[in-house]
Amino acid sequence: MESQRFEARARGREALVAGARGLLVAVTGLAGSIGLFVLTVVSLLLVPVGVGIVTTPRVLTAVRAFADARRLVAARWCGVRIRPAYRPLPEGANPWARCSGMLRDPATWRDVRWLLFDMTAGWITALLPAVLVLYPLEGFALALGLWRVFTDGTHVGWWYGFVPISGQASALAAGALGAVLLAASLYLSPLLLRLHFRVTRAVLASGEGELAERVRVLTETRREAVDTSAAELRRIERDLHDGAQARLVAVGMDLGTVEALIEKDPARAKHLLAQARRSSAEALTELRDLVRGIHPPVLAERGLGDAIRALALSLPPVSEVDVDLAGRVEAPVESAAYFAVSEVLANAVKHSGADRLWIDVHHRDGTLRITVTDNGRGGARVGAGSGLGGIERRLGTFDGVLAVSSPAGGPTRVTLEIPCVLS
């Protein structure tokens, strides 16, 4: 008996949460999709006169951020993953190259079609879980006497579902129907919310040629990864050549001079030995810093959570870090996530003017989710020279998703999602 009551309470909470989430998606989705669709159409119409070349990439970037936010809540609330398949844009591209590149991307037009769906059928499917939870309250109110507002008992003054309300007897029938609907909502509301996200995936995800599109995206992300690795190797070679190698060469020359002066000028030889010792210590420090830049020891020894905590402690703003990981993330994902968070934090410190940071790291439903929030001035967006575009491309190598919410005036919230397993 106790277990049945517990199950009923759990189902009730789940239904209420599903209804609230559906209502939130319906309200925000309707406002966002209508606004962004209008802006997209106006911006596209202005392309022939030149103004749209500048505005279209910004508007489409906002559309992508809106779609990515929906992908995140779909995965987080119902476990429905909607993979993005955007073609990467070249770094430093001029407005025309960005505009034409985004317009040639099939994913852009899927997003636009999804906006139309989200303001019509998507709005209805998102609203259904809330309606199923709230509509029974009207039936109960009618049964308790609200029917007298609509009729004096001599005619049908209101309909509740398929029940015509004309008096207390029919009002009690409405209350019974409300009870049936309430019982049904315990089971159907979560399913209806999941249905909304599944239909959203059917519209927003790539359809025909999905395998070809997937191969193309993987090919491009692999090329990005190879280019990034090559650039990193060149950086390491340059740092070694200009730093530690030069100092070690100087140490060798000093030791050669010491060998020649040790009998003729012991004082000078002693001075050169001290200088060689300082140079060797500096070379060792530079080598350690270089190794930390390749793979921080704290990341290898203690894992992603402690590595992010150490990273946050080194920053000027006050930071709060919440980590919920039941195991270690696989090494490649762990490294990619660490350096992505590092760059997000560097951007926040450099550009946002924030004095507080909140970092949340957890693993749910086979996905690593990291959220970085700051109380800065806002205005950050992918592809605006902030480095977020590079983070998005690197996460794409692991089928990761980057979503940015940064209204003017703040706060800025950057969410990273990478599918992975814990060991």
Side-chain angles (χ1 to χ4, degrees), residues 7-25 77 126-137 140 181-193:
E7 183 181 356
R9 286 196 298 268
R11 287 191 178 277
R13 285 194 298 269
E14 187 179 3
L16 286 174
V17 169
R21 287 173 172 176
L23 184 61
L24 179 63
V25 169
W77 290 350
L127 199 59
L128 282 176
V131 170
L132 196 57
V133 171
L134 297 176
Y135 193 50
L137 300 181
F140 299 151
L181 292 176
L182 183 62
S185 71
L186 300 181
Y187 297 89
L188 294 181
S189 288
L191 294 178
L192 288 172
L193 184 64

Side-chain angles (χ1 to χ4, degrees), residues 52-299:
I53 295 174
V54 178
T55 59
T56 297
R58 297 177 182 272
V59 172
L60 293 180
T61 298
V63 172
R64 292 183 177 187
F66 186 61
D68 282 342
R70 188 63 59 87
R71 290 183 177 98
L72 284 176
V73 298
R76 185 171 299 168
W77 290 350
C78 293
V80 178
R81 288 196 56 81
I82 309 172
R83 297 185 183 278
Y86 300 116
R87 294 179 180 177
L89 298 172
E91 286 287 344
N94 58 45
W96 170 248
R98 289 183 57 81
C99 181
S100 61
M102 296 181 85
L103 292 179
R104 286 197 302 266
D105 190 347
T108 296
W109 302 107
R110 283 197 298 271
D111 286 353
V112 174
R113 288 195 301 270
W114 170 71
L115 291 177
L116 281 171
F117 162 81
D118 201 47
M119 70 177 73
T120 53
W123 178 77
I124 295 173
T125 58
L127 199 59
L128 282 176
V131 170
L132 196 57
V133 171
L134 297 176
Y135 193 50
L137 300 181
E138 182 184 341
F140 299 151
L142 289 169
L144 292 174
L146 183 64
W147 64 272
R148 294 184 176 89
V149 176
F150 306 108
T151 179
D152 58 2
T154 62
H155 65 281
V156 175
W158 192 255
W159 285 80
Y160 179 75
F162 55 83
V163 177
I165 307 300
S166 59
Q168 185 61 48
S170 56
L172 290 175
L177 178 59
V180 172
L181 292 176
L182 183 62
S185 71
L186 300 181
Y187 297 89
L188 294 181
S189 288
L191 294 178
L192 288 172
L193 184 64
R194 190 172 295 110
L195 174 65
H196 166 78
F197 288 123
R198 289 184 181 276
V199 177
T200 298
R201 179 172 62 185
V203 177
L204 193 55
S206 55
E208 292 184 3
E210 182 176 359
L211 180 59
E213 182 73 7
R214 181 74 181 136
V215 170
R216 183 195 60 76
V217 171
L218 288 175
T219 300
E220 291 181 353
T221 54
R222 183 186 64 182
R223 183 168 59 248
E224 290 283 346
V226 170
D227 292 343
T228 301
S229 298
E232 185 68 11
L233 285 174
R234 288 193 297 271
R235 182 189 69 82
I236 294 171
E237 291 174 354
R238 184 176 62 252
D239 290 348
L240 285 173
H241 181 271
D242 297 340
Q245 179 178 327
R247 293 190 184 279
L248 291 174
V249 169
V251 169
M253 294 175 63
D254 288 342
L255 291 177
T257 305
V258 168
E259 188 178 5
L261 294 177
I262 194 167
E263 294 181 357
K264 298 178 182 179
D265 192 350
R268 176 65 176 166
K270 185 177 180 181
H271 173 76
L272 290 175
L273 281 173
Q275 181 175 309
R277 185 174 63 252
R278 287 194 300 272
S279 296
S280 65
E282 291 172 356
L284 182 60
T285 300
E286 291 182 358
L287 287 173
R288 286 173 176 166
D289 292 339
L290 185 63
V291 170
R292 290 191 187 99
I294 298 171
H295 195 78
V298 66
L299 182 62

